[in-house]
Amino acid sequence: MEEHPELMPLLTVSGGAMRGLSFRVGRGVQVIGRAPTADVVLADPHLSRRHATIQATAEGVLLTDLGSTNGTWLNDTRITGSVPISDGDVVRLGRTDLRLYDPGVARTDPVGMTFGAPRRDQRPTLPLPVPAPRQSIESREAQPADAR
């Protein structure tokens, strides 16, 4: 899996100030927090400097709360210690929501993710036709009734 990073689990900020940011979950322990020394730095004043860790293991992805003040939440349930997380789970740290996408078990691909070479059998996107400008009510009323 290391030689194919697109197959590594992906954690995406789905809510909060850094919405849209994504990072790959690797085999090593990654610290998530607001400290510049954290592996994943999130700009959220409600996060601890070292809030939680995440790690991909042979059994799946493991999330660990590091005794944070505001807690680590998994699908609206506060966690303590280490818990496994799976595809589609939502992790809340402070006021930041993160959604896990695990391509090894996912039923759908996230938008914009591609695997391998681009396909040539796809038709190009064509622009939609632009409708003719509509007449104003005043100009229609000025016309004789039989011309409408």
Side-chain angles (χ1 to χ4, degrees), residues 81-103:
S82 298
V83 296
I85 63 174
S86 57
D87 183 61
D89 281 345
V90 176
V91 176
R92 189 172 72 235
L93 309 170
R95 297 216 175 134
T96 302
D97 290 338
L98 303 135
R99 181 175 295 274
L100 181 73
Y101 168 71
D102 189 347

Side-chain angles (χ1 to χ4, degrees), residues 57-134:
T57 66
E59 293 79 37
V61 179
L62 197 62
L63 176 70
T64 305
D65 180 63
L66 297 177
S68 58
T69 304
N70 292 325
T72 299
W73 299 75
L74 176 61
N75 299 324
D76 293 326
T77 302
R78 189 171 184 160
I79 67 162
T80 56
S82 298
V83 296
I85 63 174
S86 57
D87 183 61
D89 281 345
V90 176
V91 176
R92 189 172 72 235
L93 309 170
R95 297 216 175 134
T96 302
D97 290 338
L98 303 135
R99 181 175 295 274
L100 181 73
Y101 168 71
D102 189 347
V105 297
R107 294 176 187 247
T108 61
D109 290 339
V111 176
M113 178 174 262
T114 59
F115 296 97
R119 293 175 46 185
R120 295 277 185 211
D121 62 341
Q122 291 179 333
R123 295 179 14 203
T125 303
L126 300 175
L128 294 173
V130 178
R134 299 181 82 185

Side-chain angles (χ1 to χ4, degrees), residues 12-61:
T12 302
V13 178
S14 59
M18 300 182 75
R19 187 174 186 179
L21 173 75
S22 294
F23 63 92
R24 294 283 173 192
V25 180
R27 295 268 180 219
V29 175
Q30 295 171 284
V31 176
I32 304 171
R34 62 180 166 85
T37 56
D39 299 306
V40 178
V41 179
L42 297 175
D44 183 341
H46 301 278
L47 252 64
S48 297
R49 288 179 188 87
R50 294 175 46 88
H51 198 98
T53 64
I54 192 159
Q55 178 182 16
T57 66
E59 293 79 37
V61 179

